Amino acid sequence: MAKIIISCAVTGSAHVPTMSDALPITPEQIADQSIAAAEAGAAILHLHARMPEDGRPTGDPDVYGRFLPVIRQATDAVVNITTGGAITMTVAERLAAAARFKPELCSLNMGSINFAFFPAARRISSWKHDWEEAYVRNSDDYIFRNTFRDIAYILETLSDAGTRFEHECYDVGHLYNLAHFLDRGLIKPGFFVQMVFGILGGIGADLDNLMFMKQTCDRLFGKDSYQWSVLAAGRHQMPFLTQAALLGGHVRVGLEDSLFIERGVLAASNAQQVEKIRRILAEMGHEPATPAEAREILGLKGGDRVEF
Amino acid sequence: MAKIIISCAVTGSAHVPTMSDALPITPEQIADQSIAAAEAGAAILHLHARMPEDGRPTGDPDVYGRFLPVIRQATDAVVNITTGGAITMTVAERLAAAARFKPELCSLNMGSINFAFFPAARRISSWKHDWEEAYVRNSDDYIFRNTFRDIAYILETLSDAGTRFEHECYDVGHLYNLAHFLDRGLIKPGFFVQMVFGILGGIGADLDNLMFMKQTCDRLFGKDSYQWSVLAAGRHQMPFLTQAALLGGHVRVGLEDSLFIERGVLAASNAQQVEKIRRILAEMGHEPATPAEAREILGLKGGDRVEF
Amino acid sequence: MAKIIISCAVTGSAHVPTMSDALPITPEQIADQSIAAAEAGAAILHLHARMPEDGRPTGDPDVYGRFLPVIRQATDAVVNITTGGAITMTVAERLAAAARFKPELCSLNMGSINFAFFPAARRISSWKHDWEEAYVRNSDDYIFRNTFRDIAYILETLSDAGTRFEHECYDVGHLYNLAHFLDRGLIKPGFFVQMVFGILGGIGADLDNLMFMKQTCDRLFGKDSYQWSVLAAGRHQMPFLTQAALLGGHVRVGLEDSLFIERGVLAASNAQQVEKIRRILAEMGHEPATPAEAREILGLKGGDRVEF
Amino acid sequence: MAKIIISCAVTGSAHVPTMSDALPITPEQIADQSIAAAEAGAAILHLHARMPEDGRPTGDPDVYGRFLPVIRQATDAVVNITTGGAITMTVAERLAAAARFKPELCSLNMGSINFAFFPAARRISSWKHDWEEAYVRNSDDYIFRNTFRDIAYILETLSDAGTRFEHECYDVGHLYNLAHFLDRGLIKPGFFVQMVFGILGGIGADLDNLMFMKQTCDRLFGKDSYQWSVLAAGRHQMPFLTQAALLGGHVRVGLEDSLFIERGVLAASNAQQVEKIRRILAEMGHEPATPAEAREILGLKGGDRVEF
Ligand SMILES: [Zn+2]
Ligand SMILES: [Zn+2]
Ligand SMILES: [Zn+2]
Ligand SMILES: [Zn+2]
């Protein structure tokens, strides 16, 4: 059966340190958990950076520079740098690290949506760091900005470096946006769709939606012209990944997407989630793709052509 | 068979005067076309204002004040004032007219999206007014802003006046946003969903999407707890409205949504579109709801309780 | 826009004379109504025979021989002879007329189902003919027989005569049966699917089902490798045909499928239904295909190569 | 999370002894594998009988009488007796064992379809028993007969004994048939739907179909008025069961449905399949229902009220 690519999104920017002690913050933690995730079977590591002292999301390339080479030396996994950044950054700030390090893969969000996680504040009474509470609560007024002009700018800027994209699609309209860029020739067949479920503001975490997103891709793009993967927020992570695999898709785990390993139990690490999805895939007869196989499937430029 | 509510969106803010001579601009034109649409069978008139001198969208309540009373005197139709405004306005500006005139119904957009119409610029070589070209071209960088905080603010501000809402949903996620406000008690059962198809940035104009949006409403809200209507952009208008009616929904026509009456032929007026959908409904055995019936179906406060 | 083929199923075998005085019974009535339907815009006439004296369905080629030449002389419409026959016939009897007259098109049912119309008996207190009541009531024990062996037999027998097929599909599984015969090479791309909705025993008359049948065809066959049409029983006829046309399908009317012209009103003739769907198609910008255009679209052998 | 009922269909009638040495044939084998399956976690045992000497399917109650009491003494699992029998039996023969032993649960097939397995003959060159080859090859001409009259007869006959049903639905139309009997009051809310995928003649084994069958049930019956389970033929077994569990359904394994444990590897026993689905359910956080919990969920009369 076809190999399945496991991506691992190691820390992201929506969760705050208060929510889980396992969330990697410092460059050392990010490197350690990334390497362990790769050893557990993740072929792609999707990375954000955080300020080492308080876990605040940052787009500063210098902070990225403290973990990217460490990861590269220890593992062959594909490094995927976010261009989504965090809700406090401009598009230019979001793009800085990817532009400097020219990775094989970057995330690219295919539309603007409300991206909200304020309801999480209700469950927290004391916060580790002073920035966290306002950061979480103000997400009720946050728009994750990705205009058509922004998307064209990112595509043009990074494509020159041979970087390809994990096209994050948070709703059905984002697939149509992707089709718009296909028509304009800024995206080419063989692209990689990352469907996102369960973010407040995006399409909800009902499996009917996964089925419909997949059917819509087939209708808009044609069955054989794209690769696809699924991530889902929180407790929806494993069920959605399982269904994705049943339908022929790839999967993304990681503490960016869910802090849990099972209902009510925090994950000890990113690697623990990689191991879990790997066991599920094995029961279904699937093997995880190696980094080399992932590069082949996604048509990546190669781990030796990055600048870190 | 159940009565079908025909809404007519008379002028909107996305089309520019260059695109059609029939687009009503001045308060007199807006009033005239609104009254004719009502006479043709529209039970609801969805209204925006434009600067009389050059057709530029405006949120200025004084401009609204020049046509609202005229319309009210001539027709019993329900007046629905936009809170979406135009891409150049802040949320406060968008809300000003509705807050002053306290209509029975306002539009309320249930999420943020890219809202783009820049491809239309390709087909236009000379423009009637100097603001138009930049307005159209820059929509590639435009986000139609409706954060959770904005939506809560509009719901709270206008609900006090007894105004109800045409909840415009541009994608599947917007239905989940609506469900979020239902959970919070800020929206109550009996609400009115307006599904929007074919805006670049929102869900596309394939009928599979209409079916799925309807199925998603039934799944999230329960079949009998909501009313729904459909609008679709441009040439998709009549096919989508026909399918909506087949599925038990209401319909919205008007030059805001489409400037055409059939493939390649500009509509002469809003009323002409009302007449066309009315003929189609009649073939299917449906009668249009009167304004009184629309008030009953949607639970509106009554045309005598507005402030214009 | 693409031309739409209107088929008209003139009399069928499930309705009995008591149900409508307009139902054509004698060869003269069948010929007259067929010719009028063709003049109204039907490009294909789907025909069954009945015993002239009491309207009982018959497969007797001699009875067919009394109306086929009359129709052929008066109109250029494509003649389509049933191989479904009636619930009282063997497969051999069902095939006799088609085998003798070698028409351009035959119906071919793609699976076995319960085919029941016994609930209609509740609404009838006196019957015109003595065979009718038992015929209707006993349909609770009837299976419309079309085994894989039967289907292969019909395909092989009639394909030699250059006859092509209206592949009637009463449920999702029938599309898979069709795919099975495609795999075996007994059916070739360019085939014509007739989706049937609302027969008790087959897939029900909800529009979700039409959408799903269409999506399933695209998934199994590929969007461009087939033509398709819709028929629906009773009051569902016009809504289903309208949605089919919206989705790019062809349509079938006729008293075989529905005796009504609108809710609670019996149709005066087959032609009246043809006129009605034609008006609806015209509002949507569609023109009916001529017989010549239908032959082209379906790849038929030509009206001069039949044996009547 | 909700408990999931694992049914195990121990031998069925479509597979023949040549296909797998693990297929239980004699009363002893059927009893042994049933008991082992129950010990592995199956709450329901769905049973057919076979002639001990050559494995030919039989409806003879005396053969059933040789394993039913053995199973009952050794396990608390719910015994479910087929009324589908085999392709060689009349409806009366199919009903005989259930009528004598009055089990808690019987299968009941909700419509007639072609039920074909002749393609399997291509892979077999020598047969263990002389009846097998014709049995398999002639299934191209077989209709699994379940007319409306048959279904009413079975419902009425067995309901008096307090037996409830596993309503096997092989296509979308079968759900409508079930709705028909609900309307007539012959089936009551709380019923148990067994969806069947991948039988040649029924709905195919694409997961889109499972999603649509579930959505159709919700639409026709209402989300909370029924229990449901899934079985799928051959290699589709585990993927379909996994998706069913993800959607809140129950699952059925067993050598009746699939002879395999993974791609290309024959299962050693029914119990081995029970263990496998149990591991998958555990990864997803689900526990199997005990027989007592299954009785509660399905509203069964109790293991002490059967006549064996
Ligand atoms: Zn990220
Ligand atoms: Zn508007
Ligand atoms: Zn027919
Ligand atoms: Zn069975």
Side-chain angles (χ1 to χ4, degrees):
Chain A
M1 296 180 93
K3 296 294 181 70
I4 291 185
I5 301 171
I6 302 176
S7 293
C8 183
V10 174
T11 189
S13 65
H15 291 134
V16 300
T18 294
M19 293 171 178
S20 170
D21 293 337
L23 191 71
I25 302 299
T26 64
E28 293 68 34
Q29 290 167 343
I30 290 173
D32 285 354
Q33 288 218 24
S34 295
I35 294 162
E39 284 166 356
I44 299 178
L45 300 166
H46 169 78
L47 299 172
H48 292 235
R50 292 178 180 268
M51 297 303 289
E53 55 279 12
D54 65 1
R56 196 185 302 255
T58 178
D60 182 353
D62 290 342
V63 180
Y64 279 88
R66 291 172 55 191
F67 57 77
L68 290 178
V70 181
I71 294 168
R72 198 188 155 191
Q73 267 189 309
T75 162
D76 187 38
V78 175
V79 167
N80 167 343
I81 297 180
T82 183
T83 67
I87 68 178
T88 44
M89 303 175 194
T90 64
V91 172
E93 287 167 341
R94 287 160 40 184
L95 201 49
R100 183 185 310 169
F101 296 109
K102 301 189 175 22
E104 295 177 82
L105 205 57
C106 277
S107 64
L108 172 50
N109 305 279
M110 294 309 295
S112 302
I113 55 163
N114 295 339
F115 189 115
F117 38 92
F118 60 90
R122 282 189 309 235
R123 294 188 297 269
I124 299 175
S125 49
S126 86
W127 302 82
K128 278 189 196 166
H129 302 289
D130 58 4
W131 64 274
E132 295 180 309
E133 182 168 5
Y135 183 83
V136 172
R137 289 199 185 280
N138 287 335
S139 70
D140 75 335
D141 202 35
Y142 175 61
I143 295 171
F144 188 14
R145 174 194 174 88
N146 301 285
T147 67
F148 285 95
R149 193 179 295 175
D150 295 333
I151 295 169
Y153 173 70
I154 297 174
L155 283 169
E156 285 161 354
T157 305
L158 296 180
S159 295
D160 290 347
T163 297
R164 297 202 72 175
F165 301 94
E166 174 197 18
H167 293 285
E168 298 197 350
C169 292
Y170 290 74
D171 214 334
V172 178
H174 294 196
L175 302 176
Y176 282 84
N177 295 350
L178 205 161
H180 167 86
F181 284 105
L182 270 173
D183 284 348
R184 286 166 60 179
L186 287 175
I187 296 176
K188 304 269 191 277
F191 54 88
F192 182 38
V193 176
Q194 185 71 265
M195 301 177 186
V196 182
F197 298 91
I199 298 299
L200 184 55
I203 197 167
D206 289 302
L207 290 168
D208 314 66
N209 295 336
L210 198 174
M211 185 64 80
F212 189 69
M213 288 282 280
K214 173 60 170 62
Q215 291 166 339
T216 304
C217 284
D218 286 345
R219 179 160 47 76
L220 294 180
F221 309 134
K223 219 167 265 204
D224 301 319
S225 67
Y226 69 100
Q227 294 289 323
W228 66 288
S229 177
V230 165
L231 74 90
R235 68 191 162 86
H236 303 292
Q237 185 180 60
M238 292 296 162
F240 271 71
L241 273 45
T242 303
Q243 185 168 14
L246 290 170
L247 295 172
H250 304 290
V251 300
R252 177 173 130 176
V253 292
L255 301 187
E256 170 167 353
D257 303 335
S258 170
L259 297 169
F260 294 86
I261 189 67
E262 62 181 72
R263 214 178 179 86
V265 181
L266 287 170
S269 68
N270 280 280
Q272 196 186 14
Q273 291 182 346
V274 175
E275 286 155 12
K276 178 164 182 168
I277 193 64
R278 219 182 143 159
R279 285 197 309 273
I280 295 173
L281 297 180
E283 287 289 357
M284 293 154 54
H286 290 293
E287 281 177 47
T290 63
E293 289 164 341
R295 286 185 173 94
E296 172 76 21
I297 293 169
L298 300 179
L300 304 183
K301 64 180 176 181
D304 53 339
R305 296 184 51 214
V306 299
E307 307 203 348
F308 54 88
Chain B
M1 296 181 95
K3 296 295 181 70
I4 290 185
I5 301 172
I6 303 175
S7 292
C8 184
V10 174
T11 187
S13 65
H15 290 134
V16 299
T18 294
M19 293 171 178
S20 169
D21 293 337
L23 190 72
I25 303 297
T26 66
E28 294 68 35
Q29 290 167 343
I30 291 173
D32 285 354
Q33 289 218 24
S34 294
I35 294 162
E39 284 167 356
I44 299 178
L45 301 165
H46 169 77
L47 299 173
H48 292 234
R50 291 178 181 267
M51 299 302 289
E53 55 280 12
D54 65 0
R56 194 186 302 255
T58 178
D60 183 353
D62 290 343
V63 180
Y64 279 88
R66 290 172 56 190
F67 57 76
L68 289 179
V70 181
I71 293 169
R72 199 189 154 190
Q73 266 189 310
T75 161
D76 187 35
V78 174
V79 167
N80 167 344
I81 297 180
T82 182
T83 67
I87 68 178
T88 45
M89 302 174 195
T90 65
V91 172
E93 287 168 342
R94 285 160 41 183
L95 202 49
R100 183 184 311 168
F101 296 110
K102 300 184 175 28
E104 295 178 82
L105 205 58
C106 277
S107 63
L108 173 50
N109 305 280
M110 295 308 295
S112 302
I113 54 163
N114 294 340
F115 189 115
F117 37 92
F118 59 91
R122 282 190 306 236
R123 293 188 297 269
I124 299 175
S125 49
S126 85
W127 302 82
K128 278 189 196 167
H129 303 288
D130 59 4
W131 64 274
E132 295 180 309
E133 182 168 5
Y135 183 83
V136 173
R137 290 197 184 280
N138 287 334
S139 69
D140 75 335
D141 202 36
Y142 176 61
I143 295 172
F144 188 16
R145 174 193 173 89
N146 300 283
T147 68
F148 285 95
R149 192 179 296 173
D150 294 333
I151 294 169
Y153 174 70
I154 296 174
L155 282 169
E156 284 162 352
T157 305
L158 296 180
S159 294
D160 291 347
T163 297
R164 295 202 75 176
F165 300 94
E166 174 197 18
H167 293 285
E168 298 196 351
C169 292
Y170 290 74
D171 214 333
V172 177
H174 294 196
L175 301 176
Y176 282 83
N177 295 349
L178 205 160
H180 167 85
F181 285 105
L182 270 172
D183 283 349
R184 286 167 59 178
L186 288 174
I187 296 177
K188 303 268 192 276
F191 55 88
F192 182 38
V193 176
Q194 184 73 264
M195 300 176 188
V196 182
F197 299 91
I199 298 300
L200 183 56
I203 196 168
D206 289 301
L207 290 167
D208 313 66
N209 295 336
L210 198 173
M211 184 63 80
F212 189 70
M213 288 282 279
K214 173 61 169 59
Q215 290 166 339
T216 304
C217 284
D218 286 346
R219 179 160 47 78
L220 293 180
F221 309 135
K223 221 167 263 205
D224 301 319
S225 67
Y226 69 100
Q227 295 289 324
W228 65 289
S229 176
V230 165
L231 75 90
R235 68 192 162 85
H236 303 292
Q237 186 180 60
M238 292 296 162
F240 272 70
L241 273 44
T242 302
Q243 184 169 14
L246 290 171
L247 295 172
H250 304 290
V251 298
R252 179 174 127 175
V253 292
L255 301 187
E256 171 166 353
D257 303 335
S258 170
L259 296 169
F260 293 86
I261 190 66
E262 62 180 70
R263 214 177 179 85
V265 182
L266 288 169
S269 68
N270 280 279
Q272 194 186 16
Q273 290 182 347
V274 176
E275 285 155 10
K276 178 164 183 168
I277 192 64
R278 219 182 143 160
R279 286 197 308 272
I280 294 173
L281 297 180
E283 287 288 358
M284 293 155 52
H286 290 294
E287 280 177 47
T290 63
E293 289 164 341
R295 286 184 172 94
E296 174 75 20
I297 293 168
L298 301 179
L300 304 182
K301 64 181 177 180
D304 53 338
R305 297 183 51 213
V306 299
E307 307 204 349
F308 53 89
Chain C
M1 297 181 95
K3 297 294 180 71
I4 291 185
I5 301 172
I6 303 175
S7 291
C8 184
V10 174
T11 188
S13 66
H15 291 135
V16 300
T18 294
M19 294 172 178
S20 169
D21 293 337
L23 191 71
I25 303 298
T26 64
E28 293 69 34
Q29 289 167 343
I30 290 173
D32 285 354
Q33 288 218 25
S34 295
I35 294 161
E39 284 166 356
I44 299 177
L45 300 166
H46 169 78
L47 299 173
H48 292 235
R50 291 177 180 270
M51 299 301 289
E53 55 280 13
D54 65 1
R56 195 186 303 255
T58 178
D60 182 352
D62 290 342
V63 181
Y64 280 88
R66 290 172 55 192
F67 57 76
L68 289 179
V70 181
I71 293 169
R72 197 188 156 192
Q73 268 189 308
T75 161
D76 186 36
V78 175
V79 167
N80 166 344
I81 297 180
T82 183
T83 68
I87 68 178
T88 44
M89 304 174 193
T90 65
V91 173
E93 287 167 341
R94 286 160 41 184
L95 201 50
R100 183 188 308 172
F101 296 109
K102 302 186 175 26
E104 295 177 83
L105 205 58
C106 277
S107 64
L108 173 49
N109 306 278
M110 295 307 296
S112 302
I113 55 164
N114 294 340
F115 189 116
F117 37 92
F118 59 91
R122 283 190 308 236
R123 293 188 298 270
I124 299 175
S125 49
S126 86
W127 303 81
K128 278 190 196 166
H129 303 290
D130 58 5
W131 64 274
E132 295 180 310
E133 182 167 5
Y135 184 83
V136 173
R137 290 198 186 279
N138 288 333
S139 70
D140 75 335
D141 203 35
Y142 176 61
I143 294 171
F144 188 16
R145 174 193 174 88
N146 299 283
T147 67
F148 285 94
R149 193 179 295 174
D150 295 333
I151 294 169
Y153 174 70
I154 296 175
L155 282 169
E156 285 161 354
T157 306
L158 296 180
S159 294
D160 290 347
T163 297
R164 296 203 72 177
F165 300 94
E166 173 196 18
H167 293 285
E168 298 197 351
C169 292
Y170 290 74
D171 215 333
V172 177
H174 294 196
L175 302 176
Y176 283 83
N177 296 350
L178 205 160
H180 167 86
F181 285 104
L182 269 172
D183 283 348
R184 286 167 60 180
L186 286 174
I187 296 177
K188 302 269 192 277
F191 54 89
F192 183 39
V193 177
Q194 185 72 266
M195 301 176 188
V196 182
F197 299 91
I199 299 300
L200 185 55
I203 197 167
D206 289 301
L207 290 168
D208 312 66
N209 295 338
L210 198 174
M211 184 63 80
F212 189 70
M213 289 282 278
K214 173 62 168 62
Q215 291 165 340
T216 304
C217 284
D218 286 345
R219 179 160 48 76
L220 293 180
F221 309 134
K223 220 167 265 204
D224 301 319
S225 67
Y226 69 101
Q227 296 289 323
W228 64 290
S229 176
V230 166
L231 75 90
R235 67 191 163 86
H236 302 292
Q237 185 181 60
M238 292 297 161
F240 271 71
L241 273 44
T242 302
Q243 184 169 14
L246 290 171
L247 295 173
H250 303 289
V251 299
R252 178 172 129 176
V253 292
L255 300 187
E256 171 167 353
D257 303 336
S258 170
L259 296 169
F260 294 86
I261 191 65
E262 62 181 71
R263 214 176 179 87
V265 183
L266 288 169
S269 68
N270 280 279
Q272 194 187 15
Q273 290 182 348
V274 176
E275 286 155 9
K276 178 164 183 168
I277 193 63
R278 220 183 141 158
R279 285 196 308 273
I280 294 173
L281 297 181
E283 287 288 357
M284 292 155 53
H286 290 294
E287 280 176 49
T290 63
E293 289 164 341
R295 287 185 172 95
E296 172 76 20
I297 292 168
L298 301 179
L300 303 183
K301 63 180 177 181
D304 53 338
R305 298 184 49 214
V306 298
E307 306 204 348
F308 54 89
Chain D
M1 295 181 95
K3 297 293 181 70
I4 291 185
I5 301 171
I6 303 175
S7 293
C8 184
V10 175
T11 188
S13 65
H15 291 135
V16 300
T18 294
M19 294 171 178
S20 169
D21 293 337
L23 190 71
I25 303 297
T26 65
E28 294 67 35
Q29 290 167 341
I30 290 173
D32 285 354
Q33 288 217 24
S34 294
I35 293 162
E39 285 167 355
I44 299 177
L45 300 166
H46 169 78
L47 299 172
H48 293 235
R50 291 179 181 267
M51 297 303 286
E53 56 278 14
D54 65 1
R56 197 185 301 256
T58 177
D60 182 352
D62 290 341
V63 181
Y64 280 88
R66 291 172 55 192
F67 56 76
L68 289 179
V70 181
I71 292 169
R72 196 186 157 193
Q73 267 188 308
T75 161
D76 187 37
V78 175
V79 166
N80 167 345
I81 297 181
T82 183
T83 67
I87 68 179
T88 44
M89 303 175 194
T90 66
V91 173
E93 288 168 340
R94 286 161 39 184
L95 202 49
R100 183 189 305 171
F101 296 109
K102 302 186 175 22
E104 296 177 82
L105 206 57
C106 277
S107 63
L108 173 49
N109 305 278
M110 295 308 296
S112 303
I113 54 164
N114 295 340
F115 188 116
F117 39 92
F118 59 91
R122 282 190 307 235
R123 293 188 297 269
I124 299 175
S125 48
S126 86
W127 303 81
K128 278 190 196 166
H129 302 289
D130 59 3
W131 63 274
E132 294 180 310
E133 181 168 5
Y135 184 82
V136 172
R137 291 198 184 281
N138 287 335
S139 69
D140 76 335
D141 203 35
Y142 176 60
I143 295 172
F144 188 14
R145 173 192 174 90
N146 300 283
T147 67
F148 285 95
R149 193 179 294 175
D150 295 333
I151 295 169
Y153 174 70
I154 297 175
L155 282 169
E156 284 161 354
T157 304
L158 295 180
S159 294
D160 290 348
T163 297
R164 297 202 73 177
F165 301 94
E166 173 197 19
H167 293 285
E168 298 196 351
C169 292
Y170 290 74
D171 214 334
V172 177
H174 294 197
L175 301 175
Y176 282 84
N177 295 351
L178 204 160
H180 167 86
F181 285 105
L182 269 173
D183 283 350
R184 286 166 61 177
L186 287 175
I187 296 177
K188 303 271 192 275
F191 53 89
F192 182 38
V193 176
Q194 185 71 265
M195 300 176 187
V196 182
F197 298 90
I199 299 299
L200 184 56
I203 197 167
D206 289 302
L207 291 168
D208 312 66
N209 295 338
L210 197 174
M211 184 63 79
F212 189 70
M213 288 283 279
K214 173 61 169 62
Q215 291 166 340
T216 303
C217 284
D218 286 345
R219 178 160 47 76
L220 293 181
F221 309 136
K223 219 168 264 203
D224 302 320
S225 67
Y226 69 102
Q227 295 289 324
W228 65 290
S229 177
V230 165
L231 75 89
R235 68 191 162 87
H236 303 291
Q237 185 180 59
M238 292 296 161
F240 271 72
L241 273 45
T242 302
Q243 185 169 16
L246 290 172
L247 295 172
H250 304 290
V251 299
R252 179 174 128 175
V253 292
L255 301 187
E256 171 167 353
D257 305 335
S258 170
L259 296 169
F260 293 86
I261 190 65
E262 61 181 72
R263 213 178 181 86
V265 181
L266 287 170
S269 68
N270 280 279
Q272 194 187 16
Q273 290 182 347
V274 176
E275 285 155 12
K276 177 164 183 168
I277 192 65
R278 218 182 143 160
R279 285 197 309 272
I280 294 173
L281 297 180
E283 287 288 357
M284 294 155 52
H286 291 293
E287 280 176 47
T290 63
E293 289 164 342
R295 287 185 172 93
E296 172 76 20
I297 292 168
L298 300 179
L300 303 183
K301 64 180 177 180
D304 53 338
R305 298 184 50 215
V306 299
E307 307 204 348
F308 54 91

Short mmCIF file of all heavy atoms in Angstrom, two decimals, chain D residues 12 46 48 82 107 168 252 256, ligand 4:
data_model
loop_
_atom_site.label_atom_id
_atom_site.label_comp_id
_atom_site.label_asym_id
_atom_site.label_seq_id
_atom_site.Cartn_x
_atom_site.Cartn_y
_atom_site.Cartn_z
N GLY D 12 -21.51 -17.73 7.58
CA GLY D 12 -22.27 -17.26 6.42
C GLY D 12 -22.60 -18.34 5.44
O GLY D 12 -22.58 -19.55 5.78
N HIS D 46 -23.46 -13.85 14.83
CA HIS D 46 -24.41 -14.00 13.73
C HIS D 46 -24.13 -15.34 13.06
O HIS D 46 -23.04 -15.57 12.54
CB HIS D 46 -24.26 -12.83 12.75
CG HIS D 46 -25.00 -13.04 11.46
ND1 HIS D 46 -26.36 -12.85 11.37
CD2 HIS D 46 -24.58 -13.42 10.23
CE1 HIS D 46 -26.75 -13.10 10.12
NE2 HIS D 46 -25.69 -13.45 9.41
N HIS D 48 -25.06 -18.89 10.66
CA HIS D 48 -25.67 -19.72 9.62
C HIS D 48 -25.28 -21.16 9.94
O HIS D 48 -24.36 -21.40 10.72
CB HIS D 48 -25.10 -19.38 8.23
CG HIS D 48 -25.45 -18.03 7.70
ND1 HIS D 48 -26.05 -17.84 6.49
CD2 HIS D 48 -25.25 -16.80 8.22
CE1 HIS D 48 -26.21 -16.54 6.27
NE2 HIS D 48 -25.72 -15.88 7.30
N THR D 82 -29.46 -16.04 11.11
CA THR D 82 -29.77 -15.49 9.79
C THR D 82 -31.21 -15.81 9.39
O THR D 82 -31.73 -16.88 9.70
CB THR D 82 -28.84 -16.08 8.72
OG1 THR D 82 -29.17 -15.45 7.48
CG2 THR D 82 -29.02 -17.58 8.55
N SER D 107 -31.06 -11.60 11.55
CA SER D 107 -30.83 -10.69 10.43
C SER D 107 -32.11 -10.61 9.60
O SER D 107 -32.91 -11.55 9.56
CB SER D 107 -29.67 -11.18 9.57
OG SER D 107 -30.00 -12.43 9.00
N GLU D 168 -30.32 -5.64 7.60
CA GLU D 168 -29.22 -5.53 6.65
C GLU D 168 -29.64 -4.67 5.45
O GLU D 168 -30.63 -4.96 4.78
CB GLU D 168 -28.77 -6.91 6.20
CG GLU D 168 -28.24 -7.72 7.38
CD GLU D 168 -27.42 -8.93 6.97
OE1 GLU D 168 -27.38 -9.26 5.77
OE2 GLU D 168 -26.81 -9.55 7.86
N ARG D 252 -19.13 -5.11 12.52
CA ARG D 252 -19.28 -6.56 12.39
C ARG D 252 -18.08 -7.13 11.66
O ARG D 252 -17.74 -6.69 10.57
CB ARG D 252 -20.56 -6.91 11.63
CG ARG D 252 -20.75 -8.40 11.44
CD ARG D 252 -22.10 -8.73 10.82
NE ARG D 252 -21.96 -9.56 9.66
CZ ARG D 252 -22.99 -10.09 8.97
NH1 ARG D 252 -24.24 -9.83 9.34
NH2 ARG D 252 -22.77 -10.83 7.92
N GLU D 256 -17.76 -14.78 7.51
CA GLU D 256 -18.83 -14.59 6.53
C GLU D 256 -18.52 -13.41 5.63
O GLU D 256 -18.80 -13.45 4.43
CB GLU D 256 -20.17 -14.36 7.24
CG GLU D 256 -21.27 -13.93 6.25
CD GLU D 256 -22.68 -13.98 6.80
OE1 GLU D 256 -22.88 -14.46 7.94
OE2 GLU D 256 -23.61 -13.54 6.10
ZN ZN E 4 -25.46 -13.80 7.32
#
